[in-house]
């Protein structure tokens, strides 16, 4: 009798574990987009690559043996620049409103600057004044620092 109840409990627990594992597999599989995947706008979603294609930025790096004949090389997680994306480079048509010092963007060791990308528009406080814009006010801030210390932030106005 005790063996029968124990067997029933073990089988029930095993079934629950299998169902839980099955439920988690799709969530795990979708965590990193497949190479060549497209977003709703038809733009390639983020993917790992040995180089950064024109028009893309990268948001993370890692060292790999996949990108060269011998030794470790930098592997980049590349994706199209977008408003609100923390990226390692600032692409054409974008400015940035904040920075952080991080190892995410390192290509040879050490800390690098990561930028909060923003689409320029009137009324945006930005760290640079992009082409087609002027500014109507400034403030001294640490938000834009790329090497420590205060930097100027600009209130943008399109002209």
């Amino acid at each position: 009798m005790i063996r029968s109840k124990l067997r029933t409990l073990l089988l029930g627990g095993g079934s629950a574990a299998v169902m839980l594992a099955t439920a988690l597999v799709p969530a795990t599989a979708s965590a990193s987009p497949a190479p060549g995947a497209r977003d709703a706008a038809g733009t390639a979603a983020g993917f790992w690559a040995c180089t950064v294609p024109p028009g893309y930025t990268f948001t993370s790096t890692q060292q790999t043996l996949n990108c060269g004949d011998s030794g470790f090389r930098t592997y980049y997680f590349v994706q199209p620049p977008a408003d609100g994306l923390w990226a390692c480079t600032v692409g054409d048509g974008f400015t940035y409103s904040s920075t952080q010092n991080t190892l995410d963007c390192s290509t040879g060791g050490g800390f690098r600057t990561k930028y909060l990308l923003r689409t320029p528009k009137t009324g945006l406080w930005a760290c640079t004044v992009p082409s087609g814009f002027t500014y109507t006010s400034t403030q001294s801030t640490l938000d834009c620092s790329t090497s420590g210390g205060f930097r100027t932030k600009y209130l943008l106005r399109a002209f």
Side-chain angles (χ1 to χ4, degrees):
M1 178 89 165
I2 292 177
R3 280 188 181 170
S4 173
K5 288 188 178 201
L6 184 58
R7 186 177 303 134
T8 302
L9 285 172
L10 289 174
L11 286 174
S15 297
V18 168
M19 289 186 338
L20 179 61
T22 303
L24 292 177
V25 168
T28 304
S30 66
S32 61
R38 303 268 173 194
D39 65 13
T43 307
F47 56 93
W48 286 98
C50 298
T51 61
V52 180
Y56 282 73
T57 187
F58 64 100
T59 57
S60 188
T61 61
Q62 65 183 20
Q63 295 300 306
T64 184
L65 294 170
N66 293 340
C67 294
D69 295 335
S70 63
F72 284 95
R73 299 283 192 263
T74 302
Y75 210 28
Y76 303 91
F77 190 77
V78 298
Q79 57 192 107
D83 190 59
L85 177 71
W86 280 99
C88 301
T89 59
V90 181
D92 291 338
F94 288 88
T95 186
Y96 60 98
S97 61
S98 190
T99 61
Q100 60 182 351
N101 205 16
T102 180
L103 293 171
D104 290 352
C105 301
S106 181
T107 58
F111 285 89
R112 298 288 188 265
T113 302
K114 202 167 195 180
Y115 306 90
L116 180 58
L117 300 184
R118 298 304 308 267
T119 303
K121 62 182 178 182
T122 297
L124 175 70
W125 281 98
C127 300
T128 62
V129 180
S131 179
F133 286 83
T134 188
Y135 57 96
T136 57
S137 188
T138 63
Q139 60 181 338
S140 187
T141 180
L142 294 172
D143 289 352
C144 301
S145 180
T146 58
S147 59
F150 286 89
R151 296 266 319 262
T152 302
K153 203 167 194 179
Y154 306 91
L155 182 59
L156 299 182
R157 178 170 174 84
F159 59 84

